Amino acid sequence: MRHFLVIVSTFMLAWPAWAGKSNEPLRVAIPYSLAPPLLITDDKGQAQGIVRDYINAIEKRIGRKFELVVIPKFRIHEMINKGMAEINCYTSPTWVPNPEKYTWSKVLFMKKEVLASRKAVSSYSEIKGERVGTVLRYIYPHIDPLFKSGRLIREDVPTEEQNLQKFVNKRINNVVADDTHLDYFLKKNDKSKNPVHKLVMQEYPIHCLIAAKDAQTTDSFNKAIEEIKSSDELDRIFAQYK
């Protein structure tokens, strides 16, 4: 099935979540700031990439049509609460205010956040006083205290991709990045093949957030997630982008 992205305006009138009939598409929110290969958007507005692929795999098993809805990352939960989307399958309870308000699926996979550096680093003290590429408005629990104390220098840009471009161009020696995105970006853009060293900062469990307290929908999602994991389909999806 081919999915087209729907860009949601914050001025759009919302209709109630889970509106009406079970044969209506479920609107699945994704943050438009997701970097390749998690989300790849072509010139025709078609969504490609890892998130689209595993959402598609879940959709086939549930037997209900999905509509992908692209929402700014920092408005996504507001939009879900307004009924503009019912599902978010790239999120974690630790990222969400009041996570107990929602139903959470089983874990899809673990997102690994790493510090990428031009030199081997086993602790943050080894880059004391150096600049670290970060994303504007992002929270980094493991190193935010080091930024506040001045032991590390935070250097914000709007997107992770811009940070990695600076890293490849040797304009910065350390960046915080998603491990999957880092590997994909370096494969596509770093022709130097200079070694890149990684220090794992934190891992986050990625779930589907289900807006309604609906046991039947939650059970369907959990069963689908178990199937795509046990059949190795999820592993194959990730492998396609390595």
Side-chain angles (χ1 to χ4, degrees):
M1 177 180 178
R2 303 173 83 183
H3 292 279
F4 291 84
L5 299 182
V6 178
I7 306 297
V8 174
S9 167
T10 57
F11 299 103
M12 178 180 176
L13 290 176
W15 58 93
W18 311 95
K21 303 172 184 178
S22 62
N23 61 352
E24 292 181 352
L26 284 176
R27 289 159 296 174
V28 181
I30 54 174
Y32 70 52
S33 58
L34 280 183
L38 295 167
L39 177 65
I40 303 169
T41 308
D42 66 19
D43 294 337
K44 296 180 181 179
Q46 294 180 354
Q48 308 293 335
I50 289 172
V51 174
R52 193 296 307 259
D53 289 352
Y54 70 65
I55 287 174
N56 195 35
I58 293 171
E59 176 191 43
K60 289 177 181 177
R61 284 165 171 78
I62 288 178
R64 186 170 175 186
K65 290 183 179 180
F66 290 172
E67 179 182 23
L68 299 188
V69 186
V70 178
I71 298 175
K73 177 182 174 66
F74 294 103
R75 303 299 299 274
I76 198 164
H77 300 296
E78 177 187 344
M79 297 299 103
I80 286 176
N81 290 334
K82 287 182 176 180
M84 292 181 180
E86 291 85 37
I87 306 290
N88 177 6
C89 279
Y90 188 83
T91 188
S92 183
T94 58
W95 302 345
V96 177
N98 304 313
E100 68 280 356
K101 288 173 54 179
Y102 308 104
T103 303
W104 296 88
S105 74
K106 293 186 175 181
V107 175
L108 272 157
F109 60 93
M110 299 298 292
K111 167 189 164 70
K112 189 182 294 184
E113 190 172 69
V114 300
L115 175 74
S117 182
R118 288 297 179 189
K119 62 183 180 182
V121 175
S122 59
S123 72
Y124 302 125
S125 62
E126 296 172 36
I127 57 169
K128 183 178 179 180
E130 294 188 23
R131 294 177 301 137
V132 178
T134 50
V135 177
L136 186 68
R137 295 179 66 187
Y138 276 29
I139 296 170
Y140 303 97
H142 279 52
I143 58 174
D144 276 343
L146 301 179
F147 292 138
K148 290 177 181 177
S149 69
R151 283 178 284 176
L152 294 177
I153 301 169
R154 177 169 181 153
E155 188 162 311
D156 281 342
V157 294
T159 69
E160 190 174 288
E161 193 151 3
Q162 289 174 302
N163 260 334
L164 293 179
Q165 193 62 60
K166 289 170 62 178
F167 186 69
V168 166
N169 293 338
K170 299 182 179 179
R171 292 166 52 205
I172 196 165
N173 292 324
N174 312 286
V175 295
V176 178
D178 172 83
D179 193 42
T180 300
H181 178 212
L182 175 65
D183 288 347
Y184 183 85
F185 186 91
L186 293 177
K187 182 180 178 180
K188 296 282 186 181
N189 297 281
D190 191 0
K191 307 303 181 184
S192 70
K193 306 303 179 185
N194 291 326
V196 174
H197 302 276
K198 300 177 185 178
L199 175 64
V200 177
M201 297 172 58
Q202 191 163 353
E203 292 188 88
Y204 299 93
I206 299 300
H207 303 252
C208 291
L209 176 155
I210 302 167
K213 300 286 187 179
D214 179 16
Q216 183 177 357
T217 300
T218 304
D219 289 345
S220 297
F221 269 80
N222 284 336
K223 183 178 179 182
I225 289 168
E226 287 178 351
E227 288 178 0
I228 66 172
K229 292 174 72 172
S230 63
S231 67
D232 295 328
E233 183 173 1
L234 188 59
D235 288 340
R236 291 194 296 272
I237 288 170
F238 274 85
Q240 291 178 53
Y241 297 92
K242 290 184 177 179

